[in-house]
Amino acid sequence: MAIDIPTLEERYIGSCRSHGILPSSSILSSFFKAEIKKSCQELCCLEIFIDDIKDIDFPPLLDVCMNLDTSEIEAVDLRNESTSELNGEYALSLMRAINQKLRVVDLQDLSFGKDFLRDISQRGLACQVLTLRSSHFRKLNLVGEFLNMHTLNLDFSSSLTSFQEDCFNCMPNLMCLSMCETQISNLWTTVAALSKLPSLVELRFQYLLHCNDAMTSYTSSSGRSNDTDDFILSKRVPCISESCIGTSELTDHTFGADNPLSNFYSFDDAMNHDASSIIDDSSGDTEVDISRHHQRYALSAVFARWNGQMPLQNENQDEEDLLEGTFARRTADVSQKYMPCHASPICYEKHYREFMIASLPNLKVLDNLPIKKIDKEKATETFSQYFEYLPYRWKHKESIVRILQNREIKSSHINVQSLKSRASYRSGKSQHFYARSLSAAKVGSSTWPFLCPLSLSGCRFGGEDRVFRPRQFEYHPSDSSLMVFGTLDGEVVVINHENEQIVSYIPSLGAMNSVLGLCWLKKYPSKLIAGSDNGSLKLYDIHHVGRKSTGIYGSSGCVTFDEFDQLTSVHVNSADELFLASGYSRNVALYDINNGKRLQVFTDMHQGHINVVKFANHSPSIFATSSFDQDVKKWDLRQKPTHPCFTASSSRGNVMACFSPDDQYILASAVDNEVRQLLAVDGRLHLAFDIASTGSSQNYTRSYYMNGRDYIISGSCDEQVIRICCTQTGRRLRDISLEGRSSGSSMYVQSLRGDPFRDFNMSVLAAYMRPASKSEIVKINLLASSGYTKDDSDQQHPCPSHSMGA
């Protein structure tokens, strides 16, 4: 006699009766549809929409889902179409109860909160496809088990800016990843994170529309396009050629308020997608950017045709077959065009596409566009032309232990035969060879550099706590542990930046405003010149300065010079005899350090105000000036500087200029990332660094040398990135991104300096982009792994995001 097995509906209704509640019509509908699929011998998939599920509906639903292993249900898809009222703990319990039969999880902008997201991140999920569009997390940090996951969709997670270093180690089977319209921007950290995904074959940071003379259409990830499933735009859209995709040439016209994508997708199709995403941000709660929340459905068709199954071609399928009926570059001599939509900032980096293809060799599809053999060849060529894989043009990563062993073997086995060709020996195994080898190996193994803000708050002076607001800083020229910084309040502070102990503290005492000019003396390393924006100029001897806020110096510890109005820059010559001051005028003043007198004022040296004046490092009479009149000029005091030695012009106003440590070059930085290296002898252009402009006339750029004159570091006040470039080739080595600990707390570069004692170390004066917010000095070490030495709960010292390029 056959035993009647109750249907899912019957089991659910019975559970509701035992709990004394009415059945949910939405849940009943889901069970009914699953029974229909089973009767039609289709995949018996239970699709649960949690939008209408209330907390009271949860207990009977959980009763049924906990026994799905014994039912004929083969898979469960959990979706929501709007903000759900279901408690986050209930939602987690539901997913855990379904366990291995959980196939698709599709959640968007939920009000479950950070605890919900943190639980998913730390414990993982058994689903194959995870879609999570949320504005509640900033840094991707997945540590749980995601062994079944093959698709992850983070589209429209508007606060997502970066990755934890090992965030993808837990998903070895992930094949498809989409992060359109996130805030991901750093090529280097992105590639480093994605390289941990051995199965990744499809990646998307922007959504490409295929354009032709008749219409603009979406092309699916499977490479097929049709009117019904993949949508056709009802009106013409501006197009760009393929060559523009992923470069800074893309303009804002495709992202304006009248973007036709707002009328492009149907809502029903928008909810039919299989994708995935997740995160964690352990930082403090702050306001969340939801300015793009209204676009959250626009990419929902990205994985529409997958339906939980991977639409990947056979591994043996010819590469050319991938293009059949889809992204052929040229058909009958007609160039194909694509319009990018909902691009993440990373797509606007120059040579973005080539960088990603060259760095991720297993990738088959990038931004909907299949990768051909010719694409890989072009990417390799472009990468070698514009980027350095490792410092000093090293081609392959090497073991640090092996380099040390080779150095010892070499030093103990030098013989006459090896010294026959001195030129060959010097070029191959010079005194710098092994140091550079070690640097290349360490940088290669530390894709996320170590970033740590100096602790400058909570210091006690004269019985009161001090909170410093740094405005300028300089490393000490001979003591590797010391640094001086001036503050917006006119203070001058000497700090041991290694142990973060204050060495000397000089208050403003009403005599100083913001300290904009600082310069150590080289032959008298205890002395420094400090200048403020109100024109005050003083020489201090830190050996005669105490650490208390009262009675800290007398006449023996301070020399006051004649004021220089609206001062912006001071610099001491190599002999410690003279110093120059410049400011918001066309004049430069020359001072005698020994007698404290102003010797002369050179007038009308430029047509605009002079931002920076710098002496050469070895010639006590040679100096350079840079001005917003677009000129950089070199001068010689021995010729009574009425006429410059040379004038070199930029296309924009010059923010600063400085000599290389050996005085062979002058590094000139103009507004909006126009950085050029000039020959110091005659001003001829030696190298123009290929850094993309932002279009902002207020994006003031500053650049300095690092590792002697091997590399430059460059940053701008409208951007939160430091760029590192080779001074001989112009190739970009890394980008380092700065980001505050909390969501929405982006930082920008006010000033920066390379550490004169440590290769690939630097410090950056960074400020938050909020009005009246504080600034801080961030130390960066490219040779060390990422980390943070402060207590994570210390909200006064946000640790910048460990991304590089940031």
Side-chain angles (χ1 to χ4, degrees):
M1 181 176 178
I3 300 177
D4 292 333
I5 300 176
T7 65
L8 291 174
E9 293 175 86
E10 293 170 342
R11 290 163 57 185
Y12 173 66
I13 292 173
S15 181
C16 287
R17 187 179 298 112
S18 64
H19 285 281
I21 62 173
L22 293 174
S24 164
S25 60
S26 175
I27 296 175
L28 284 173
S29 175
S30 297
F31 288 143
F32 177 74
K33 291 178 181 178
E35 294 290 345
I36 294 296
K37 291 179 181 179
K38 183 176 68 174
S39 64
C40 297
Q41 297 184 339
E42 298 178 8
L43 175 69
C44 190
C45 175
L46 174 62
E47 192 170 38
I48 301 176
F49 290 87
I50 65 174
D51 301 73
D52 300 324
I53 299 179
K54 297 178 174 56
D55 290 352
I56 196 174
D57 299 322
F58 174 76
L61 175 62
L62 182 60
D63 289 344
V64 176
C65 290
M66 290 180 67
N67 296 308
L68 286 179
D69 289 341
T70 60
S71 71
E72 296 184 9
I73 295 295
E74 299 176 62
V76 178
D77 294 349
L78 187 64
R79 305 180 186 275
N80 83 302
E81 299 177 355
S82 62
T83 300
S84 173
E85 297 180 5
L86 184 63
N87 182 284
E89 293 184 4
Y90 286 167
L92 286 170
S93 299
L94 181 60
M95 290 188 285
R96 304 299 179 203
I98 297 170
N99 199 16
Q100 293 298 317
K101 290 196 175 183
L102 187 64
R103 185 181 68 161
V104 174
V105 175
D106 183 350
L107 309 173
Q108 54 190 333
D109 261 340
L110 296 179
S111 57
F112 293 166
K114 288 188 176 181
D115 289 340
F116 173 82
L117 300 175
R118 188 174 291 111
D119 186 278
I120 293 178
S121 169
Q122 295 177 353
R123 295 182 58 188
L125 281 176
C127 64
Q128 301 174 35
V129 177
L130 178 59
T131 297
L132 180 59
R133 292 184 293 282
S134 175
S135 53
H136 295 295
F137 62 87
R138 180 178 58 88
K139 183 177 294 186
L140 197 64
N141 183 25
L142 303 168
V143 294
E145 290 189 357
F146 298 88
L147 301 181
N148 298 331
M149 187 181 298
H150 60 63
T151 301
L152 176 62
N153 184 354
L154 298 170
D155 295 335
F156 296 101
S157 296
S158 57
S159 295
L160 179 59
T161 61
S162 57
F163 308 94
Q164 290 284 9
E165 187 169 359
D166 299 322
C167 67
F168 289 123
N169 286 359
C170 54
M171 45 185 70
N173 299 309
L174 189 72
M175 303 179 72
C176 299
L177 176 63
S178 186
M179 290 179 285
C180 299
E181 199 149 322
T182 60
Q183 293 302 309
I184 301 296
S185 61
N186 192 288
L187 290 170
W188 284 266
T189 46
T190 300
V191 162
L194 297 180
S195 63
K196 305 291 183 67
L197 293 170
S199 303
L200 185 68
V201 293
E202 180 162 358
L203 177 64
R204 182 180 287 103
F205 285 102
Q206 61 187 341
Y207 169 58
L208 294 180
L209 292 175
H210 177 212
C211 311
N212 55 38
D213 290 338
M215 62 188 69
T216 303
S217 65
Y218 163 73
T219 303
S220 71
S221 55
S222 62
R224 296 184 296 272
S225 177
N226 61 66
D227 294 350
T228 303
D229 294 333
D230 294 316
F231 315 109
I232 300 296
L233 278 179
S234 60
K235 49 186 175 180
R236 297 288 298 277
V237 187
C239 302
I240 62 168
S241 66
E242 174 196 344
S243 62
C244 293
I245 294 174
T247 74
S248 60
E249 298 173 22
L250 300 182
T251 61
D252 291 334
H253 75 275
T254 56
F255 303 97
D258 57 346
N259 191 329
L261 287 181
S262 59
N263 301 319
F264 184 68
Y265 300 97
S266 71
F267 183 79
D268 292 338
D269 287 316
M271 300 322 301
N272 181 29
H273 66 284
D274 302 337
S276 53
S277 66
I278 189 150
I279 60 355
D280 175 37
D281 176 16
S282 58
S283 61
D285 294 332
T286 59
E287 70 271 20
V288 175
D289 177 15
I290 56 173
S291 59
R292 294 172 181 167
H293 175 78
H294 66 283
Q295 298 171 326
R296 65 186 182 277
Y297 299 119
L299 288 191
S300 58
V302 164
F303 300 105
R305 303 282 66 80
W306 291 3
N307 195 26
Q309 305 297 322
M310 297 303 299
L312 299 174
Q313 286 74 12
N314 187 289
E315 292 183 1
N316 298 321
Q317 185 174 356
D318 189 271
E319 218 170 12
E320 294 294 331
D321 291 342
L322 295 175
L323 294 179
E324 184 175 350
T326 173
F327 280 101
R329 270 44 166 205
R330 293 183 178 274
T331 304
D333 295 327
V334 177
S335 177
Q336 301 296 307
K337 298 180 180 179
Y338 307 94
M339 187 189 78
C341 298
H342 304 294
S344 296
I346 193 172
C347 302
Y348 296 99
E349 288 291 329
K350 278 192 173 182
H351 316 296
Y352 146 76
R353 184 172 178 83
E354 290 80 7
F355 187 98
M356 301 300 289
I357 293 174
S359 303
L360 300 171
N362 295 328
L363 210 58
K364 296 184 183 300
V365 180
L366 177 61
D367 299 333
N368 293 66
L369 193 62
I371 299 170
K372 299 172 58 180
K373 181 178 180 180
I374 190 173
D375 297 324
K376 293 185 176 182
E377 293 173 350
K378 178 185 177 183
T380 300
E381 179 182 349
T382 299
F383 189 96
S384 63
Q385 182 178 356
Y386 294 103
F387 302 100
E388 277 195 353
Y389 175 62
L390 291 172
Y392 298 110
R393 288 174 265 185
W394 248 242
K395 300 298 183 184
H396 306 286
K397 293 183 179 180
E398 296 187 34
S399 164
I400 295 175
V401 174
R402 181 179 177 183
I403 294 171
L404 292 173
Q405 289 175 340
N406 289 340
R407 183 178 66 177
E408 295 304 315
I409 293 172
K410 182 67 179 179
S411 63
S412 60
H413 290 83
I414 295 179
N415 52 42
V416 176
Q417 183 68 28
S418 67
L419 295 177
K420 283 185 177 179
S421 175
R422 286 185 176 270
S424 174
Y425 172 74
R426 286 172 180 162
S427 63
K429 308 294 179 184
S430 70
Q431 59 179 331
H432 301 297
F433 176 82
Y434 290 107
R436 290 176 173 177
S437 298
L438 287 170
S439 292
K442 289 180 180 179
V443 171
S445 63
S446 304
T447 308
W448 271 261
F450 180 84
L451 293 89
C452 184
L454 279 179
S455 179
L456 303 178
S457 63
C459 301
R460 296 188 63 83
F461 294 101
E464 63 179 11
D465 290 337
R466 297 293 302 167
V467 177
F468 295 119
R469 300 188 298 160
R471 179 57 185 85
Q472 188 58 278
F473 75 98
E474 294 287 348
Y475 284 99
H476 194 280
S478 57
D479 189 331
S480 63
S481 67
L482 294 186
M483 174 189 293
V484 62
F485 65 87
T487 72
L488 293 169
D489 302 305
E491 303 152 306
V492 177
V493 183
V494 179
I495 185 172
N496 184 322
H497 62 85
E498 294 176 352
N499 60 22
E500 299 186 339
Q501 297 297 311
I502 302 295
V503 175
S504 296
Y505 170 66
I506 305 167
S508 64
L509 299 180
M512 304 275 280
N513 286 345
S514 296
V515 177
L516 300 181
L518 287 170
C519 190
W520 291 96
L521 275 62
K522 302 176 183 64
K523 294 183 179 180
Y524 305 95
S526 67
K527 298 181 179 182
L528 60 91
I529 301 288
S532 68
D533 59 2
N534 68 349
S536 177
L537 277 166
K538 295 180 182 294
L539 181 144
Y540 296 106
D541 188 335
I542 64 173
H543 286 171
H544 293 84
V545 174
R547 301 183 68 249
K548 296 182 179 180
S549 61
T550 58
I552 61 168
Y553 63 82
S555 59
S556 61
C558 173
V559 176
T560 300
F561 298 89
D562 292 341
E563 293 185 355
F564 186 89
D565 290 340
Q566 296 182 298
L567 181 145
T568 60
S569 171
V570 298
H571 202 243
V572 178
N573 74 348
S574 61
D576 284 352
E577 298 170 343
L578 306 169
F579 76 87
L580 293 165
S582 66
Y584 287 103
S585 71
R586 297 182 293 181
N587 307 331
V588 170
L590 178 67
Y591 293 83
D592 189 313
I593 294 176
N594 294 319
N595 61 28
K597 302 295 184 181
R598 182 165 64 195
L599 300 178
Q600 192 172 354
V601 176
F602 306 116
T603 59
D604 296 325
M605 302 189 82
H606 283 265
Q607 297 301 310
H609 76 257
I610 298 169
N611 289 312
V612 169
V613 58
K614 293 285 185 181
F615 270 111
N617 294 296
H618 302 284
S619 244
S621 62
I622 300 296
F623 68 95
T625 54
S626 63
S627 169
F628 270 144
D629 65 4
Q630 302 183 4
D631 288 341
V632 170
K633 297 182 180 183
K634 175 184 165 184
W635 309 84
D636 191 338
L637 289 174
R638 295 168 297 186
Q639 300 176 2
K640 295 183 179 180
T642 55
H643 298 287
C645 302
F646 68 73
T647 299
S649 297
S650 306
S651 66
R652 304 179 181 96
N654 286 294
V655 178
M656 65 158 294
C658 65
F659 287 86
S660 63
D662 60 2
D663 288 341
Q664 184 174 346
Y665 303 111
I666 293 177
L667 184 64
S669 305
V671 171
D672 204 18
N673 296 324
E674 183 181 344
V675 182
R676 300 169 304 126
Q677 185 168 253
L678 312 173
L679 293 175
V681 64
D682 57 12
R684 283 180 297 157
L685 178 66
H686 174 259
L687 187 63
F689 295 93
D690 186 30
I691 302 176
S693 60
T694 65
S696 169
S697 61
Q698 307 299 314
N699 192 31
Y700 303 121
T701 302
R702 296 169 176 86
S703 307
Y704 282 88
Y705 285 97
M706 182 180 71
N707 293 20
R709 65 168 174 84
D710 294 340
Y711 288 88
I712 68 157
I713 53 176
S714 183
S716 301
C717 69
D718 274 357
E719 301 177 87
Q720 59 187 66
V721 61
I722 300 103
R723 300 174 176 91
I724 306 173
C725 302
C726 175
T727 57
Q728 296 305 305
T729 64
R731 295 173 184 166
R732 197 116 120 250
L733 173 65
R734 291 288 189 276
D735 283 1
I736 303 172
S737 298
L738 296 174
E739 184 180 323
R741 178 189 297 265
S742 302
S743 175
S745 57
S746 296
M747 308 178 80
Y748 65 88
V749 180
Q750 274 193 313
S751 189
L752 70 171
R753 300 288 189 276
D755 190 320
F757 303 99
R758 302 168 181 86
D759 283 353
F760 293 108
N761 277 253
M762 71 188 80
S763 290
V764 178
L765 177 60
Y768 287 95
M769 292 184 177
R770 296 173 181 170
S773 61
K774 72 186 184 87
S775 57
E776 59 188 2
I777 298 173
V778 180
K779 296 177 63 177
I780 300 174
N781 183 359
L782 274 73
L783 304 181
S785 299
S786 63
Y788 187 61
T789 59
K790 304 288 186 299
D791 184 307
D792 282 346
S793 65
D794 182 4
Q795 295 301 312
Q796 301 214 351
H797 289 285
C799 182
S801 160
H802 307 310
S803 57
M804 220 176 40

